[in-house]
Amino acid sequence: MKAPTPRSLIVSFFGAYGRELGGWIAVADLVTLLGRLGVDAPAVRSAVSRQKQRGFLQAHQVGGVAGYSLSAEAEEILADGDRRIYLRQDVRLSDGWVLAVFSVPETERHRRHLLRSRLSRLGFGATAPGVWIAPSHLAEEARHTLERLELAPYVDLFHADYLAYADLRDAAARWWDLGAVQAGYAEFSEQFLKTASDADSADDADSDAFATYLLALDAWRRMPYRDPGLPPELLPEDWQGTQAADIFFGLHDRLRARGLAYVKSVVSR
């Protein structure tokens, strides 16, 4: 898997812990915390600055101390992410599908590219030009994202059932690259299986628990966006997602709270 970047780790940090601090953290404390993961101070400050430029963070002082808080847009993004990252969906074939049907004028091709990119990142698969499909549980997140990016005027969303004519399992294999998703899960499991095993018996410090959990979260949080969350009937028989989820949620249960204790110890100094 790709090595974590400072910018990605900042998103993971705010998703895991930042909101429990009231959404604001001093720059110096963020430098200390990410230093536990080997990120040096200039890299943290540069990444924070880029996230400010992107509108994810807002700079302001509290008690004369420089720091950053989440923007309203970032709060919504993280709330949508919570449902995707931290919940194991019980998806049934009978739940149906959400269809996104769109048409973008040729003069606005950049919006067409953005729309396709975002639908893909949400877990939609292309069934035909301008027609994308996803399991129905992604409908609400899709609506939020399209509205946030001002793409809603180009799209119609429908709740649908599949009636005919292809075998649905074969069709799903065409609409999504399940092989790539499978490989990503296998890679995650290979990277963190030993970590999960060690966490069962380790008596390491809370600071180590924080670092381990944040790295695992940073690697994991991309996976549910690559995986559309299909019903079990449509998945390969040797689906690797179950083991990968067991590993992540095991680490989450054992390490997240200890990591929060370390974070609070740093920001309260």
Side-chain angles (χ1 to χ4, degrees):
M1 306 187 80
K2 290 183 179 179
T5 65
R7 188 171 70 179
S8 176
L9 289 171
I10 287 170
V11 174
S12 295
F13 171 81
F14 274 94
Y17 298 119
R19 288 169 290 177
E20 295 200 39
L21 304 176
W24 180 90
I25 187 170
V27 176
D29 290 340
L30 190 58
V31 167
T32 297
L33 290 165
L34 293 189
R36 290 293 308 172
L37 286 82
V39 184
D40 61 27
V44 173
R45 295 180 186 279
S46 176
V48 166
S49 177
R50 288 197 297 272
Q51 291 291 33
K52 177 176 177 285
Q53 292 171 3
R54 296 177 66 194
F56 187 82
L57 296 177
Q58 299 172 328
H60 61 90
Q61 294 188 350
V62 173
V65 177
Y68 286 85
S69 62
L70 292 165
S71 67
E73 180 179 342
E75 292 273 12
E76 183 176 307
I77 290 172
L78 292 178
D80 282 342
D82 288 345
R83 291 185 286 272
R84 182 72 72 94
I85 295 165
Y86 295 114
L87 295 180
R88 302 182 80 162
Q89 295 285 347
D90 181 19
V91 183
R92 298 168 297 180
L93 200 55
S94 60
D95 293 338
W97 306 89
V98 56
L99 290 182
V101 181
F102 66 85
S103 178
V104 180
E106 186 65 22
T107 54
E108 298 183 71
R109 282 179 294 177
H110 65 288
R111 289 189 175 270
R112 186 186 307 151
H113 173 74
L114 177 60
L115 183 51
R116 289 170 177 162
S117 173
R118 289 308 170 116
L119 287 175
S120 178
R121 287 175 59 182
L122 283 169
F124 280 72
T127 66
V131 182
W132 290 59
I133 188 171
S136 63
H137 66 86
L138 297 182
E140 192 69 6
E141 186 178 356
R143 186 176 65 81
H144 287 166
T145 301
L146 294 171
E147 291 173 357
R148 186 167 59 245
L149 297 176
E150 300 182 348
L151 294 171
Y154 305 96
V155 185
D156 290 303
L157 292 178
F158 300 89
H159 185 273
D161 295 317
Y162 187 80
L163 301 180
Y165 289 94
D167 177 85
L168 190 50
R169 188 169 181 173
D170 292 339
R174 293 196 308 271
W175 298 336
W176 291 279
D177 188 353
L178 296 179
V181 179
Q182 182 88 308
Y185 277 134
E187 195 173 355
F188 178 89
S189 296
E190 181 180 358
Q191 181 173 346
F192 288 99
L193 181 59
K194 185 177 186 304
T195 300
S197 177
D198 292 345
D200 285 328
S201 57
D203 57 356
D204 54 359
D206 287 347
S207 59
D208 294 323
F210 162 78
T212 299
Y213 176 68
L214 199 63
L215 287 173
L217 173 63
D218 194 69
W220 170 258
R221 69 181 176 85
R222 296 168 178 78
M223 296 309 306
Y225 285 95
R226 297 173 185 170
D227 182 353
L230 298 178
E233 301 95 316
L234 304 184
L235 297 173
E237 293 182 1
D238 62 340
W239 187 242
Q240 301 292 308
T242 303
Q243 181 190 32
D246 288 344
I247 291 171
F248 171 72
F249 286 106
L251 290 170
H252 175 80
D253 291 343
R254 294 191 294 274
L255 300 180
R256 183 190 175 278
R258 292 176 57 200
L260 178 60
Y262 174 66
V263 171
K264 289 182 175 179
S265 74
V266 169
V267 301
S268 65
R269 291 173 186 169

